[in-house]
Amino acid sequence: MHYSACVDRYLEAVGAAVRRHRERLSWSRRELATHSGVSERFLAQLETGDGNISLRRFADVARALGTSPSALLGPADAPGAATPIALLGVRGAGKSSVGALLARDLGVEFVELDQRIELAAGLPLGELFALHGEAYYRRIEREVLTRLLAHPAPMVLATGGSIVNDPPSYALLRARCRTIWLCAGAEDHWSRVVAQGDRRPMAENPHAFAELKALLAARRDLYAQADHTVDTTGCPVPQVVAAIAQLVA
């Protein structure tokens, strides 16, 4: 890896550590700016890895967060430190197939969030929704995600398609992961689901395709808040994996 790329990765890791500490305090950047004396604009640059802060100002930020500069630098200095990668998208985006291959190529763990939710609830997702409803699912989702990202380890995380509709969970993802939206047209999503042998959408609901298009349109602005967008339209899985690998290198 080139020296400049190493520096960029290091600054991103430091920024992620600052962001995690701020999130744990439930502070906005404005609140951290007030407590540290560092401008909100510069804090935004620091948290995204774009700001090269002086040691004195960095110490002010650490003090305001109730920690030390060394504690904030520690995760960046750790051997093999890396921010988890979270894949976003509606059903048929390819999160499972892309995520599994990407994790293998990167040599990290692949985690499907919905599987962890099923384990925590002791129920398949279908039964979970039928018995307890969406509010219960959201609560379990937040709890599982919070535990999973409490001490983030290198991983590729495939999320549920609707996680962007839950502000606390989506904020946590964006704070502690590199989020990537696997974007495609409705036709691609539909054909992938059918290719997997699942014809239920077509058989049970004649308006399913129109509803899928409406769902994509409704969530587009939320998905677009991800760190990166990868257009998977007409792309084989290895090509998508290669595109993501370049983004996170």
Side-chain angles (χ1 to χ4, degrees), residues 46-58:
L46 173 63
E47 289 188 357
T48 55
D50 294 327
N52 199 346
I53 193 170
S54 71
L55 289 176
R56 184 181 297 277
R57 304 308 282 161
F58 188 63

Side-chain angles (χ1 to χ4, degrees), residues 54-94:
S54 71
L55 289 176
R56 184 181 297 277
R57 304 308 282 161
F58 188 63
D60 290 338
V61 171
R63 174 187 50 76
L65 292 170
T67 186
S68 65
S70 60
L72 293 175
L73 293 171
D77 287 332
T83 303
I85 298 166
L87 303 181
L88 309 173
V90 302
R91 189 179 181 195

Side-chain angles (χ1 to χ4, degrees), residues 59-115:
D60 290 338
V61 171
R63 174 187 50 76
L65 292 170
T67 186
S68 65
S70 60
L72 293 175
L73 293 171
D77 287 332
T83 303
I85 298 166
L87 303 181
L88 309 173
V90 302
R91 189 179 181 195
K95 292 170 293 185
S96 295
S97 53
V98 169
L101 183 56
L102 178 64
R104 189 199 70 182
D105 288 355
L106 295 177
V108 300
E109 183 183 11
F110 174 57
V111 177
E112 293 209 60
L113 187 59
D114 277 346
Q115 288 184 355

Side-chain angles (χ1 to χ4, degrees), residues 114-130:
D114 277 346
Q115 288 184 355
R116 296 294 182 94
I117 292 170
E118 288 181 334
L119 286 173
L123 292 169
L125 286 186
E127 292 183 28
L128 189 155
F129 272 96

Side-chain angles (χ1 to χ4, degrees), residues 3-20 22 29 40-53 58 73 76 83 174-175 177-178 227-228:
Y3 175 77
S4 60
C6 290
V7 172
D8 289 344
R9 292 273 307 262
Y10 190 83
L11 291 175
E12 288 176 3
V14 171
V18 171
R19 188 169 60 242
R20 285 194 297 271
R22 177 174 62 79
R29 286 201 187 107
E40 186 177 350
R41 176 174 174 273
F42 195 82
L43 286 172
Q45 293 175 338
L46 173 63
E47 289 188 357
T48 55
D50 294 327
N52 199 346
I53 193 170
F58 188 63
L73 293 171
T83 303
R174 292 172 63 208
C177 301
R178 293 184 74 169
D227 296 316
H228 306 286

